[in-house]
């Protein structure tokens, strides 16, 4: 059977099994390590949002957390892609996890009574922003490596299945991390929660160290850094389906980042505590993991481009409902449904990325994707905080939902190749 994306390759019948990729031992090691690592980072994200709002009592301060991370993440992304393509991947991944461990340990120190005795809330918040700025640099190198290593572990004919499992693992870890973050804050306080985060990151380091060495596919040669970076950018901009999918997600997340306002909604509109906040923060990810499990068993067979546009439009509608709701259950369900729709988007976009990218360019292409997609979460967080400051909490979220719908309409007419895409 011929692969429609890469006609030169053959897809065997075994690749149609939902568990084809999971049978590979090294792939399982990657999934387990990534689960623990992402769970720890999501716990940290949940905790920092709550902590900053507790220290400053200002919605705009939450937005600054996103800005603190996105500036270095975007600034180093293109260079990081070049470095990834010419470097041994396993050591790059382990080094990034180790640096995250140091960052989490720094936050743990800031939460102790010793620090609080010498620093005011204002200066503790400043130090938190500084640590988050450093994690932005780390993420620009570490984030893309996971997807690059994935393609070097599994054969191409089961790459779609492996991508779905990879996204499912990420979303499962995100659900667990968001929920656990709220629970740990409620029962053990910020210092106790950070102790658990530091422990989890160290455990992830041990798990990921089981992966075999992944040597560079590109020689350093005479190609200059900027020439290498431009080569990756040219590939993304010339591959219209790839560019369309990245652009759609970038603007949808930028304007539809309602999750950034969850701490404000939890405390001032829905009036729930840390546990309710943790579950509300995890609602979108719960929906995402449910749909990814379904897609693992029943993958999309056709009209993936049209489906992508439809689910992003539905995502915008869910954000509008969340913004207007004052009932906890409705808010939770709106976020969960938005996560289900976003889960479809994540799987389709991730599959396009893996199938359309040549092996020797994966670091650069994944870094371009990271620069636009992953950083859009932080830009969306900043946009949400700024919009809340200017428009008010509810109008800012509703405005973001309507802007998401507008982005889909524009993409529908301006990117016909994405609308017609099938793989």
């Amino acid at each position: 059977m011929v692969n429609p994306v890469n006609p030169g390759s053959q897809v065997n019948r075994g690749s149609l099994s939902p568990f084809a990729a999971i049978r590979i031992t090294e792939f399982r090691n990657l999934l387990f390590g990534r689960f623990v690592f992402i769970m720890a980072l999501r716990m940290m994200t949940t905790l920092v949002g709550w902590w900053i709002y507790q220290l400053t009592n200002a919605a705009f301060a939450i937005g600054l957390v996103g800005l603190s991370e996105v500036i270095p993440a975007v600034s180093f992304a293109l260079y990081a892609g070049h470095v990834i393509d010419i470097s041994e991947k396993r050591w790059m991944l382990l080094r990034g996890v180790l640096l995250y461990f140091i960052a989490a340990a720094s936050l743990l120190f800031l939460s102790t009574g010793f620090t609080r005795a010498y620093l005011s809330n204002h200066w503790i918040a400043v130090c938190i922003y500084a640590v988050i700025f450093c994690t932005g640099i780390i993420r620009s190198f570490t984030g893309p490596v996971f997807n690059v290593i994935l393609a070097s572990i599994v054969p191409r004919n089961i790459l779609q299945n492996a991508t779905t499992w990879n996204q499912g693992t990420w979303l499962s870890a995100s659900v667990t991390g968001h929920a656990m973050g709220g629970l740990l804050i409620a029962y053990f306080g910020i210092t106790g929660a950070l102790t658990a985060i530091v422990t989890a990151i160290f455990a992830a380091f041990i798990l990921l160290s089981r992966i075999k060495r992944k040597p560079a596919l590109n020689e350093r040669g005479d190609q200059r850094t900027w020439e290498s970076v431009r080569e990756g950018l040219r590939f993304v901009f010339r591959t219209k389906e790839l560019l369309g999918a990245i652009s759609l997600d970038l603007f949808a997340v930028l304007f539809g980042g309602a999750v950034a306002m969850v701490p404000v909604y939890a405390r001032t509109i829905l009036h729930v505590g840390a546990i309710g906040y943790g579950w509300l923060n995890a609602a979108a990810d719960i929906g995402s993991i449910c749909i990814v499990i379904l897609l693992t068993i029943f993958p999309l067979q056709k009209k993936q481009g049209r489906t992508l546009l439809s689910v992003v439009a539905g995502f915008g509608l869910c954000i509008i409902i969340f913004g207007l709701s004052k009932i906890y259950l409705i808010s939770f369900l709106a976020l969960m449904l938005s996560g289900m729709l976003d889960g479809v988007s994540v799987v389709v976009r991730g599959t396009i990325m893996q199938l359309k990218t040549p092996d020797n360019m994966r670091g650069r292409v994944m870094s371009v994707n990271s620069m636009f997609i992953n950083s859009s979460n932080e830009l969306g967080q900043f946009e949400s905080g700024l919009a809340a400051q200017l428009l008010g909490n509810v109008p800012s979220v509703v405005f973001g939902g309507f802007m998401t719908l507008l982005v889909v309409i524009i993409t529908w007419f301006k990117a016909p190749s994405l609308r017609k895409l099938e793989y």
Side-chain angles (χ1 to χ4, degrees):
M1 180 170 147
V2 178
N3 184 339
V5 173
N6 184 13
S9 67
Q10 297 292 317
V11 179
N12 64 47
R13 291 291 177 182
S15 69
L16 300 179
S17 167
F19 302 100
I22 211 73
R23 294 191 181 107
I24 301 173
T25 301
E26 193 174 12
F27 181 68
R28 292 198 302 270
N29 290 336
L30 177 67
L31 290 191
F32 287 134
R34 193 181 194 200
F35 177 88
V36 176
F37 180 62
I38 297 300
M39 180 186 69
L41 296 192
R42 286 296 169 268
M43 289 165 61
M44 187 187 301
T45 299
T46 301
L47 180 142
V48 167
W50 183 268
W51 192 9
I52 284 290
Y53 193 58
Q54 186 181 74
L55 291 171
T56 64
N57 201 34
F60 184 66
I62 301 174
L64 288 178
V65 175
L67 187 63
S68 298
E69 188 169 12
V70 75
I71 290 175
V74 170
S75 299
F76 284 88
L78 296 177
Y79 174 69
H82 165 72
V83 173
I84 291 168
D85 277 338
I86 63 174
S87 303
E88 196 274 308
K89 312 298 186 294
R90 176 181 177 270
W91 170 235
M92 282 205 69
L93 178 61
L94 293 178
R95 183 171 56 185
V97 175
L98 184 61
L99 290 172
Y100 265 111
F101 174 84
I102 295 172
S106 300
L107 291 176
L108 175 59
F109 176 74
L110 288 173
S111 72
T112 61
F114 176 82
T115 304
R116 293 196 301 270
Y118 291 95
L119 296 178
S120 65
N121 286 351
H122 169 76
W123 283 108
I124 292 176
V126 169
C127 292
I128 293 172
Y129 289 133
V131 173
I132 298 302
F133 182 90
C134 293
T135 63
I137 300 175
I138 301 167
R139 195 186 71 176
S140 65
F141 290 88
T142 307
V145 176
F146 277 103
N147 291 319
V148 174
I149 288 180
L150 168 67
S152 67
I153 289 176
V154 301
R156 187 177 181 83
N157 62 337
I158 59 173
L159 201 51
Q160 180 179 350
N161 178 255
T163 299
T164 306
W165 275 104
N166 187 50
Q167 298 294 354
T169 298
W170 188 93
L171 291 165
S172 300
S174 189
V175 170
T176 307
H178 281 317
M180 287 296 295
L183 290 170
L184 289 171
I185 293 169
Y187 290 108
F188 300 102
I190 290 173
T191 301
L194 282 167
T195 302
I197 291 169
V198 169
T199 304
I201 294 176
F202 181 75
F205 179 87
I206 300 300
L207 290 168
L208 292 169
S209 65
R210 299 177 181 177
I211 297 173
K212 298 176 184 177
R213 285 175 53 84
K214 304 297 174 188
L217 295 176
N218 280 6
E219 297 292 335
R220 290 180 181 269
D222 297 325
Q223 189 180 34
R224 295 180 179 179
T225 299
W226 179 238
E227 292 174 352
S228 174
V229 168
R230 283 193 299 178
E231 185 180 15
L233 284 171
R234 279 197 301 268
F235 177 81
V236 171
F237 281 94
R238 288 175 180 175
T239 310
K240 299 303 181 184
E241 299 91 344
L242 196 59
L243 179 62
I246 290 175
S247 301
L248 177 66
D249 198 83
L250 166 66
F251 289 106
V253 173
L254 176 64
F255 292 114
V259 175
M261 290 295 102
V262 167
V264 180
Y265 268 72
R267 287 186 59 180
T268 63
I269 295 176
L270 301 174
H271 305 291
V272 294
I275 296 177
Y277 161 66
W279 283 107
L280 198 64
N281 215 22
D285 290 333
I286 292 173
S288 294
I289 187 55
C290 289
I291 202 68
V292 168
I293 291 172
L294 190 63
L295 291 176
T296 303
I297 302 172
F298 305 105
L300 295 171
Q301 299 293 337
K302 58 183 180 179
K303 296 183 178 179
Q304 289 91 349
R306 191 179 293 264
T307 299
L308 176 63
L309 289 163
S310 299
V311 297
V312 175
F315 174 83
L317 290 173
C318 290
I319 296 305
I320 293 171
I321 294 171
F322 170 77
L324 295 174
S325 172
K326 295 183 180 180
I327 301 173
Y328 183 83
L329 180 60
I330 294 176
S331 300
F332 181 88
L333 291 175
L335 288 178
M336 187 171 72
L337 181 57
S338 77
M340 295 178 71
L341 297 170
D342 188 51
V344 178
S345 171
V346 166
V347 169
V348 173
R349 191 186 71 250
T351 303
I352 294 171
M353 289 286 300
Q354 291 289 1
L355 293 177
K356 288 285 185 179
T357 306
D359 290 338
N360 67 336
M361 204 177 286
R362 288 189 183 278
R364 283 163 288 175
V365 173
M366 295 301 173
S367 290
V368 172
N369 177 69
S370 175
M371 182 175 67
F372 287 105
I373 300 302
N374 295 335
S375 297
S376 66
N377 292 297
E378 281 68 40
L379 281 173
Q381 186 176 8
F382 175 70
E383 182 273 336
S384 296
L386 181 61
Q389 188 78 11
L390 298 174
L391 304 176
N393 296 326
V394 173
S396 68
V397 174
V398 174
F399 168 78
F402 277 112
M403 289 300 295
T404 301
L405 293 176
L406 179 61
V407 167
V408 174
I409 294 171
I410 294 173
T411 305
W412 179 277
F413 292 105
K414 293 292 185 180
S417 60
L418 177 63
R419 185 177 72 242
K420 298 173 184 176
L421 172 71
E422 292 191 357
Y423 52 77

